[in-house]
Amino acid sequence: MELPKPRQLHEFIINKHVSDKLALFNINNLQNIILYGKKNRGKKTLIYAFIRHLFNIDSHIDISVQKITKTYKHKSSSYICSYNRCNYYYEIDFLENIKVIKHIINHFIIDLCSNKTVHNTFRIIILRNIDVIYEENIRALSYIIESFYKYNKFIIISNNSNMHFYKCKIMNLCCPIKCYIHKKEIENYLKDKKIKCTKKSKTNILNSDTLFEIMMIIQYKTLPKYDPIQIFLNKIHTLLIKSQNILFISKLKTYIYDIYLLNYNLQKIPIQYIKYISKKKNISDTNLHILYHKANIYNCSNTFELFSFIENFFIEIKINNLF
C-alpha cells in the first residue's frame, strides 16, 4: 500500500490546510507564492495539483512535461541550464543547476520573463530548492520578481521550516504558505481510507514528521530498520569501481542529491565513506591517511559549495584509485 498522490486540490486530506489556501487563487487573481516547510511534506504534489486547478485540467489528463538541458551564452561565457517545460509552466531546480545559479538568475530567468506571453496571460515559473542560493542571488531574484510582475508569476518551493532565512524583499513579494504535518488531517486520512492499525502504530503515525515516515509505517507497521546512507555509500562505491571514464559524475550528482533529500548532513559523507570502505576491504595506512587528509580538505559548511566539494572528493578518489 502506498499513499496515493492527489491530482486535484479537493482530493487532499493530508495537507488540506494548504490546498484550501491554494484553492483561493485562480488564473486571474494569481499571486507570487512561496510554499515552505521541511522536506517530504508533499510540497511538489501540492504545486502540481495547484497547476491543474489554475488551468482546470482533469485528473485523468496527463500533463506532458519536457525535460530540457541546453547550453546558453551569457556575455563572454556559456553555461548549461536544465529545466522542465510544458504548456502551463516552467520549472527550475536550483539544486540541479547549483554550479550555474548566478547565470540562471541573471540571464536565463530574466530572458524568460522579458518575452511576451500569448494574449497577455501569466507565465508561471516554479522555482525549487531556493535554500541553496546565496543571499546576493536572493536579492537579484527579488528584483526580477518585482520588475516582471505583470506577466510572470513565481511559485517558490523552500525546504526551510522557518522564514527568517529570507531577510530580504522577496518575502514582501510573495504569499507565504507553510506546509506542515497536521495530526487531525492524518486522523481524517486513516479514517477515510479505512486503514486499520494498532494503537502503537497509530501513535507512531501521528508523531511522524514526514509523509515518507507515515507511508512506511502504514505499509510496514513500523519504520524499516536500515541505514539508507549505507545504501547510497554502497551505490557510490560501486559506481567508482565500475566507471571507466569521467561520465560517472552525472550519476554521482544524483546520489548526493538523494542523500541531501534525506536531510542527512552532507559534511559527514566523506568520513562515512572512508569508514564504509575500511570495513569492506583492507586499505593501507598510507591510503587511509590520504583519504582522511582529502576528507579534511573537501570540507565546507556552505551548502552551495558543499555539493561541489563532495563531488571533487570522490573524483580524486577515482582518479587516484584510492578505493
Side-chain angles (χ1 to χ4, degrees), residues 225-266:
K225 295 182 178 179
Y226 69 92
D227 185 355
I229 304 305
Q230 296 300 313
I231 295 177
F232 281 109
L233 291 177
N234 180 60
K235 289 181 177 181
I236 291 174
H237 184 62
T238 303
L239 179 67
L240 294 178
I241 293 175
K242 293 185 176 181
S243 298
Q244 301 298 319
N245 52 50
I246 201 68
L247 295 179
F248 77 93
I249 295 177
S250 60
K251 193 65 177 177
L252 176 64
K253 288 177 182 289
T254 302
Y255 291 151
I256 296 173
Y257 176 53
D258 288 339
I259 294 173
Y260 170 78
L261 291 178
L262 291 172
N263 274 332
Y264 190 78
N265 185 352
L266 292 182

CSV table of all heavy atoms in Angstrom, one decimal, residues 225-266:
chain,number,residue,atom,x,y,z
A,225,LYS,N,14.2,-1.0,9.7
A,225,LYS,CA,15.5,-0.8,10.4
A,225,LYS,C,16.7,-0.9,9.5
A,225,LYS,O,17.3,-2.0,9.5
A,225,LYS,CB,15.5,-1.7,11.6
A,225,LYS,CG,14.4,-1.5,12.6
A,225,LYS,CD,14.5,-2.5,13.8
A,225,LYS,CE,13.5,-2.2,14.8
A,225,LYS,NZ,13.5,-3.1,16.0
A,226,TYR,N,16.9,0.1,8.7
A,226,TYR,CA,18.1,0.1,7.9
A,226,TYR,C,18.6,1.5,7.8
A,226,TYR,O,17.9,2.5,8.0
A,226,TYR,CB,17.8,-0.5,6.5
A,226,TYR,CG,16.9,0.4,5.7
A,226,TYR,CD1,17.5,1.4,4.8
A,226,TYR,CD2,15.5,0.3,5.7
A,226,TYR,CE1,16.7,2.2,4.0
A,226,TYR,CE2,14.7,1.1,4.9
A,226,TYR,CZ,15.3,2.1,4.1
A,226,TYR,OH,14.5,2.9,3.3
A,227,ASP,N,19.9,1.6,7.4
A,227,ASP,CA,20.5,2.9,7.3
A,227,ASP,C,20.6,3.3,5.8
A,227,ASP,O,21.4,2.7,5.1
A,227,ASP,CB,21.9,2.9,7.9
A,227,ASP,CG,22.6,4.2,7.9
A,227,ASP,OD1,22.0,5.2,7.4
A,227,ASP,OD2,23.7,4.4,8.5
A,228,PRO,N,19.7,4.2,5.4
A,228,PRO,CA,19.7,4.5,3.9
A,228,PRO,C,21.1,5.1,3.5
A,228,PRO,O,21.4,4.9,2.3
A,228,PRO,CB,18.6,5.5,3.8
A,228,PRO,CG,18.4,6.1,5.2
A,228,PRO,CD,18.8,5.0,6.1
A,229,ILE,N,21.8,5.7,4.4
A,229,ILE,CA,23.1,6.3,4.0
A,229,ILE,C,24.0,5.2,3.5
A,229,ILE,O,24.8,5.4,2.6
A,229,ILE,CB,23.7,7.1,5.1
A,229,ILE,CG1,22.7,8.2,5.6
A,229,ILE,CG2,25.0,7.8,4.7
A,229,ILE,CD1,22.2,9.1,4.5
A,230,GLN,N,24.0,4.1,4.2
A,230,GLN,CA,24.9,3.0,3.9
A,230,GLN,C,24.6,2.5,2.5
A,230,GLN,O,25.5,2.0,1.7
A,230,GLN,CB,24.8,1.9,4.9
A,230,GLN,CG,25.3,2.2,6.3
A,230,GLN,CD,26.7,2.7,6.3
A,230,GLN,OE1,27.6,2.0,5.7
A,230,GLN,NE2,27.0,3.8,7.0
A,231,ILE,N,23.3,2.5,2.1
A,231,ILE,CA,22.9,2.0,0.8
A,231,ILE,C,23.4,2.9,-0.3
A,231,ILE,O,24.0,2.5,-1.3
A,231,ILE,CB,21.3,2.0,0.7
A,231,ILE,CG1,20.8,0.9,1.7
A,231,ILE,CG2,20.9,1.7,-0.7
A,231,ILE,CD1,19.3,0.8,1.7
A,232,PHE,N,23.4,4.2,0.0
A,232,PHE,CA,23.9,5.2,-1.0
A,232,PHE,C,25.4,5.1,-1.1
A,232,PHE,O,26.0,5.3,-2.2
A,232,PHE,CB,23.4,6.6,-0.7
A,232,PHE,CG,22.0,6.9,-1.1
A,232,PHE,CD1,21.0,7.0,-0.2
A,232,PHE,CD2,21.7,6.9,-2.5
A,232,PHE,CE1,19.7,7.2,-0.6
A,232,PHE,CE2,20.4,7.2,-2.9
A,232,PHE,CZ,19.4,7.3,-2.0
A,233,LEU,N,26.1,4.9,0.1
A,233,LEU,CA,27.5,4.8,0.1
A,233,LEU,C,28.0,3.6,-0.8
A,233,LEU,O,29.0,3.6,-1.5
A,233,LEU,CB,28.1,4.7,1.5
A,233,LEU,CG,28.0,5.9,2.3
A,233,LEU,CD1,28.5,5.7,3.8
A,233,LEU,CD2,28.8,7.1,1.7
A,234,ASN,N,27.2,2.5,-0.7
A,234,ASN,CA,27.4,1.3,-1.5
A,234,ASN,C,27.3,1.6,-2.9
A,234,ASN,O,28.1,1.2,-3.8
A,234,ASN,CB,26.5,0.2,-1.0
A,234,ASN,CG,26.8,-1.1,-1.8
A,234,ASN,OD1,27.9,-1.7,-1.8
A,234,ASN,ND2,25.7,-1.5,-2.5
A,235,LYS,N,26.2,2.4,-3.3
A,235,LYS,CA,26.0,2.7,-4.7
A,235,LYS,C,27.1,3.6,-5.2
A,235,LYS,O,27.6,3.4,-6.4
A,235,LYS,CB,24.7,3.5,-4.8
A,235,LYS,CG,23.4,2.6,-4.6
A,235,LYS,CD,22.2,3.4,-4.8
A,235,LYS,CE,20.9,2.6,-4.7
A,235,LYS,NZ,19.7,3.3,-4.8
A,236,ILE,N,27.6,4.5,-4.4
A,236,ILE,CA,28.7,5.4,-4.8
A,236,ILE,C,30.0,4.6,-5.0
A,236,ILE,O,30.7,4.8,-6.0
A,236,ILE,CB,28.9,6.5,-3.8
A,236,ILE,CG1,27.7,7.5,-3.8
A,236,ILE,CG2,30.2,7.3,-4.1
A,236,ILE,CD1,27.8,8.6,-2.7
A,237,HIS,N,30.2,3.7,-4.1
A,237,HIS,CA,31.4,2.8,-4.2
A,237,HIS,C,31.4,2.0,-5.4
A,237,HIS,O,32.4,1.8,-6.1
A,237,HIS,CB,31.5,2.0,-2.9
A,237,HIS,CG,32.8,1.2,-2.8
A,237,HIS,ND1,34.0,1.7,-2.8
A,237,HIS,CD2,33.0,-0.2,-2.8
A,237,HIS,CE1,34.9,0.7,-2.7
A,237,HIS,NE2,34.3,-0.4,-2.8
A,238,THR,N,30.3,1.4,-5.7
A,238,THR,CA,30.1,0.5,-6.9
A,238,THR,C,30.3,1.3,-8.1
A,238,THR,O,30.9,0.9,-9.1
A,238,THR,CB,28.7,-0.1,-6.9
A,238,THR,OG1,28.5,-0.9,-5.7
A,238,THR,CG2,28.5,-1.0,-8.1
A,239,LEU,N,29.8,2.6,-8.1
A,239,LEU,CA,29.9,3.5,-9.3
A,239,LEU,C,31.4,3.8,-9.5
A,239,LEU,O,31.8,3.8,-10.7
A,239,LEU,CB,29.1,4.8,-9.0
A,239,LEU,CG,29.2,5.8,-10.1
A,239,LEU,CD1,28.4,5.4,-11.3
A,239,LEU,CD2,28.5,7.1,-9.5
A,240,LEU,N,32.1,4.1,-8.5
A,240,LEU,CA,33.6,4.4,-8.6
A,240,LEU,C,34.3,3.2,-9.2
A,240,LEU,O,35.2,3.4,-10.0
A,240,LEU,CB,34.1,4.8,-7.3
A,240,LEU,CG,33.6,6.1,-6.7
A,240,LEU,CD1,34.3,6.3,-5.3
A,240,LEU,CD2,33.9,7.3,-7.6
A,241,ILE,N,34.0,2.0,-8.8
A,241,ILE,CA,34.7,0.8,-9.2
A,241,ILE,C,34.4,0.5,-10.7
A,241,ILE,O,35.3,0.2,-11.5
A,241,ILE,CB,34.3,-0.4,-8.4
A,241,ILE,CG1,34.8,-0.2,-6.9
A,241,ILE,CG2,34.9,-1.7,-9.0
A,241,ILE,CD1,34.4,-1.3,-6.0
A,242,LYS,N,33.1,0.6,-11.1
A,242,LYS,CA,32.7,0.2,-12.4
A,242,LYS,C,32.9,1.2,-13.5
A,242,LYS,O,33.0,0.9,-14.7
A,242,LYS,CB,31.2,-0.3,-12.4
A,242,LYS,CG,31.0,-1.5,-11.5
A,242,LYS,CD,29.6,-2.0,-11.7
A,242,LYS,CE,29.3,-3.3,-10.9
A,242,LYS,NZ,27.9,-3.8,-11.0
A,243,SER,N,32.9,2.5,-13.1
A,243,SER,CA,33.0,3.5,-14.1
A,243,SER,C,34.4,3.5,-14.8
A,243,SER,O,35.4,3.4,-14.2
A,243,SER,CB,32.8,4.9,-13.5
A,243,SER,OG,31.5,5.0,-12.9
A,244,GLN,N,34.3,3.7,-16.2
A,244,GLN,CA,35.5,3.7,-17.0
A,244,GLN,C,36.0,5.0,-17.3
A,244,GLN,O,37.1,5.2,-17.8
A,244,GLN,CB,35.3,2.9,-18.2
A,244,GLN,CG,34.8,1.4,-18.0
A,244,GLN,CD,35.9,0.6,-17.3
A,244,GLN,OE1,37.1,0.8,-17.6
A,244,GLN,NE2,35.5,-0.2,-16.4
A,245,ASN,N,35.1,6.1,-17.1
A,245,ASN,CA,35.5,7.4,-17.5
A,245,ASN,C,34.8,8.4,-16.6
A,245,ASN,O,34.2,8.0,-15.6
A,245,ASN,CB,35.2,7.7,-19.0
A,245,ASN,CG,33.7,7.4,-19.3
A,245,ASN,OD1,32.8,7.8,-18.5
A,245,ASN,ND2,33.5,6.6,-20.3
A,246,ILE,N,35.0,9.7,-16.9
A,246,ILE,CA,34.6,10.8,-16.0
A,246,ILE,C,33.1,11.0,-16.1
A,246,ILE,O,32.5,11.7,-15.3
A,246,ILE,CB,35.3,12.1,-16.5
A,246,ILE,CG1,35.2,13.1,-15.3
A,246,ILE,CG2,34.7,12.7,-17.7
A,246,ILE,CD1,36.1,12.7,-14.1
A,247,LEU,N,32.4,10.2,-17.0
A,247,LEU,CA,30.9,10.4,-17.1
A,247,LEU,C,30.2,9.9,-15.9
A,247,LEU,O,29.0,10.1,-15.8
A,247,LEU,CB,30.4,9.6,-18.4
A,247,LEU,CG,31.0,10.1,-19.7
A,247,LEU,CD1,30.4,9.3,-20.8
A,247,LEU,CD2,30.6,11.6,-19.9
A,248,PHE,N,30.9,9.3,-14.9
A,248,PHE,CA,30.2,8.8,-13.7
A,248,PHE,C,29.7,10.0,-12.9
A,248,PHE,O,28.9,9.8,-12.0
A,248,PHE,CB,31.1,7.9,-12.9
A,248,PHE,CG,32.2,8.7,-12.1
A,248,PHE,CD1,32.0,9.1,-10.8
A,248,PHE,CD2,33.4,9.0,-12.7
A,248,PHE,CE1,32.9,9.8,-10.1
A,248,PHE,CE2,34.4,9.7,-12.0
A,248,PHE,CZ,34.1,10.1,-10.7
A,249,ILE,N,30.2,11.2,-13.1
A,249,ILE,CA,29.9,12.4,-12.3
A,249,ILE,C,28.4,12.7,-12.3
A,249,ILE,O,27.8,13.0,-11.3
A,249,ILE,CB,30.7,13.6,-12.8
A,249,ILE,CG1,32.2,13.4,-12.6
A,249,ILE,CG2,30.2,14.9,-12.1
A,249,ILE,CD1,33.0,14.5,-13.1
A,250,SER,N,27.7,12.5,-13.5
A,250,SER,CA,26.3,12.8,-13.5
A,250,SER,C,25.5,11.9,-12.6
A,250,SER,O,24.6,12.3,-11.9
A,250,SER,CB,25.8,12.7,-14.9
A,250,SER,OG,26.0,11.4,-15.4
A,251,LYS,N,25.9,10.6,-12.5
A,251,LYS,CA,25.2,9.7,-11.6
A,251,LYS,C,25.6,10.0,-10.2
A,251,LYS,O,24.7,9.9,-9.3
A,251,LYS,CB,25.6,8.2,-12.0
A,251,LYS,CG,24.7,7.2,-11.3
A,251,LYS,CD,23.3,7.3,-11.8
A,251,LYS,CE,22.4,6.2,-11.2
A,251,LYS,NZ,21.0,6.3,-11.6
A,252,LEU,N,26.8,10.4,-9.9
A,252,LEU,CA,27.3,10.7,-8.6
A,252,LEU,C,26.4,11.9,-8.1
A,252,LEU,O,26.1,11.9,-6.9
A,252,LEU,CB,28.7,11.1,-8.6
A,252,LEU,CG,29.4,11.6,-7.3
A,252,LEU,CD1,29.3,10.5,-6.3
A,252,LEU,CD2,30.8,12.0,-7.6
A,253,LYS,N,26.2,12.9,-8.9
A,253,LYS,CA,25.4,14.1,-8.5
A,253,LYS,C,24.0,13.6,-8.0
A,253,LYS,O,23.5,14.1,-7.1
A,253,LYS,CB,25.2,15.0,-9.7
A,253,LYS,CG,26.5,15.8,-10.1
A,253,LYS,CD,26.2,16.7,-11.3
A,253,LYS,CE,27.4,17.4,-11.8
A,253,LYS,NZ,27.7,18.5,-10.9
A,254,THR,N,23.4,12.6,-8.7
A,254,THR,CA,22.1,12.1,-8.4
A,254,THR,C,22.1,11.5,-7.0
A,254,THR,O,21.2,11.8,-6.2
A,254,THR,CB,21.6,11.1,-9.4
A,254,THR,OG1,21.6,11.7,-10.7
A,254,THR,CG2,20.2,10.6,-9.1
A,255,TYR,N,23.1,10.7,-6.7
A,255,TYR,CA,23.2,10.1,-5.4
A,255,TYR,C,23.4,11.1,-4.3
A,255,TYR,O,22.8,11.0,-3.2
A,255,TYR,CB,24.4,9.1,-5.4
A,255,TYR,CG,24.2,7.8,-6.2
A,255,TYR,CD1,25.3,7.2,-6.8
A,255,TYR,CD2,23.0,7.3,-6.5
A,255,TYR,CE1,25.1,6.1,-7.6
A,255,TYR,CE2,22.8,6.2,-7.3
A,255,TYR,CZ,23.9,5.6,-7.8
A,255,TYR,OH,23.7,4.5,-8.6
A,256,ILE,N,24.3,12.1,-4.5
A,256,ILE,CA,24.5,13.1,-3.5
A,256,ILE,C,23.2,13.9,-3.2
A,256,ILE,O,22.8,14.2,-2.1
A,256,ILE,CB,25.6,14.1,-3.9
A,256,ILE,CG1,26.9,13.3,-4.0
A,256,ILE,CG2,25.8,15.2,-2.9
A,256,ILE,CD1,28.1,14.1,-4.6
A,257,TYR,N,22.5,14.2,-4.3
A,257,TYR,CA,21.2,14.9,-4.2
A,257,TYR,C,20.2,14.1,-3.4
A,257,TYR,O,19.5,14.6,-2.5
A,257,TYR,CB,20.7,15.2,-5.6
A,257,TYR,CG,19.3,15.9,-5.6
A,257,TYR,CD1,19.1,17.0,-4.8
A,257,TYR,CD2,18.3,15.4,-6.3
A,257,TYR,CE1,17.8,17.7,-4.8
A,257,TYR,CE2,17.0,16.0,-6.3
A,257,TYR,CZ,16.8,17.1,-5.6
A,257,TYR,OH,15.6,17.7,-5.6
A,258,ASP,N,20.1,12.8,-3.7
A,258,ASP,CA,19.2,11.9,-2.9
A,258,ASP,C,19.6,11.8,-1.4
A,258,ASP,O,18.7,11.8,-0.6
A,258,ASP,CB,19.3,10.4,-3.5
A,258,ASP,CG,18.6,10.3,-4.9
A,258,ASP,OD1,17.8,11.2,-5.2
A,258,ASP,OD2,18.9,9.4,-5.6
A,259,ILE,N,20.8,11.8,-1.1
A,259,ILE,CA,21.3,11.9,0.3
A,259,ILE,C,20.8,13.2,0.9
A,259,ILE,O,20.3,13.2,2.0
A,259,ILE,CB,22.8,11.7,0.4
A,259,ILE,CG1,23.2,10.3,-0.1
A,259,ILE,CG2,23.2,11.9,1.8
A,259,ILE,CD1,24.7,10.1,-0.1
A,260,TYR,N,21.0,14.3,0.2
A,260,TYR,CA,20.6,15.6,0.6
A,260,TYR,C,19.1,15.6,1.0
A,260,TYR,O,18.6,16.2,2.0
A,260,TYR,CB,20.9,16.6,-0.4
A,260,TYR,CG,20.3,18.0,-0.2
A,260,TYR,CD1,20.8,18.9,0.8
A,260,TYR,CD2,19.1,18.4,-0.9
A,260,TYR,CE1,20.3,20.1,1.0
A,260,TYR,CE2,18.6,19.7,-0.6
A,260,TYR,CZ,19.2,20.5,0.3
A,260,TYR,OH,18.6,21.8,0.6
A,261,LEU,N,18.3,14.9,0.1
A,261,LEU,CA,16.8,14.9,0.3
A,261,LEU,C,16.4,14.1,1.6
A,261,LEU,O,15.3,14.2,2.1
A,261,LEU,CB,16.1,14.3,-0.9
A,261,LEU,CG,16.1,15.1,-2.2
A,261,LEU,CD1,15.4,14.4,-3.3
A,261,LEU,CD2,15.5,16.5,-1.9
A,262,LEU,N,17.3,13.3,2.1
A,262,LEU,CA,17.1,12.5,3.3
A,262,LEU,C,17.4,13.4,4.6
A,262,LEU,O,17.3,12.8,5.7
A,262,LEU,CB,17.9,11.3,3.3
A,262,LEU,CG,17.6,10.2,2.3
A,262,LEU,CD1,18.6,9.1,2.3
A,262,LEU,CD2,16.2,9.6,2.6
A,263,ASN,N,17.7,14.6,4.4
A,263,ASN,CA,18.0,15.5,5.5
A,263,ASN,C,19.3,15.1,6.2
A,263,ASN,O,19.5,15.4,7.4
A,263,ASN,CB,16.9,15.6,6.5
A,263,ASN,CG,15.8,16.6,6.1
A,263,ASN,OD1,16.2,17.6,5.5
A,263,ASN,ND2,14.6,16.4,6.6
A,264,TYR,N,20.2,14.4,5.5
A,264,TYR,CA,21.4,14.0,6.1
A,264,TYR,C,22.5,15.1,6.0
A,264,TYR,O,22.5,15.8,5.0
A,264,TYR,CB,21.9,12.7,5.4
A,264,TYR,CG,23.1,12.0,6.0
A,264,TYR,CD1,22.9,11.2,7.2
A,264,TYR,CD2,24.4,12.2,5.6
A,264,TYR,CE1,24.0,10.6,7.8
A,264,TYR,CE2,25.5,11.6,6.2
A,264,TYR,CZ,25.2,10.8,7.3
A,264,TYR,OH,26.3,10.2,7.9
A,265,ASN,N,23.3,15.2,7.0
A,265,ASN,CA,24.4,16.2,7.0
A,265,ASN,C,25.4,15.8,5.9
A,265,ASN,O,26.2,14.9,6.2
A,265,ASN,CB,25.0,16.3,8.4
A,265,ASN,CG,26.0,17.5,8.4
A,265,ASN,OD1,26.3,18.1,7.4
A,265,ASN,ND2,26.4,17.7,9.7
A,266,LEU,N,25.5,16.5,4.8
A,266,LEU,CA,26.4,16.2,3.7
A,266,LEU,C,27.8,16.3,4.2
A,266,LEU,O,28.7,15.6,3.6
A,266,LEU,CB,26.1,17.1,2.5
A,266,LEU,CG,24.8,16.9,1.8
A,266,LEU,CD1,24.7,17.8,0.6
A,266,LEU,CD2,24.6,15.4,1.4
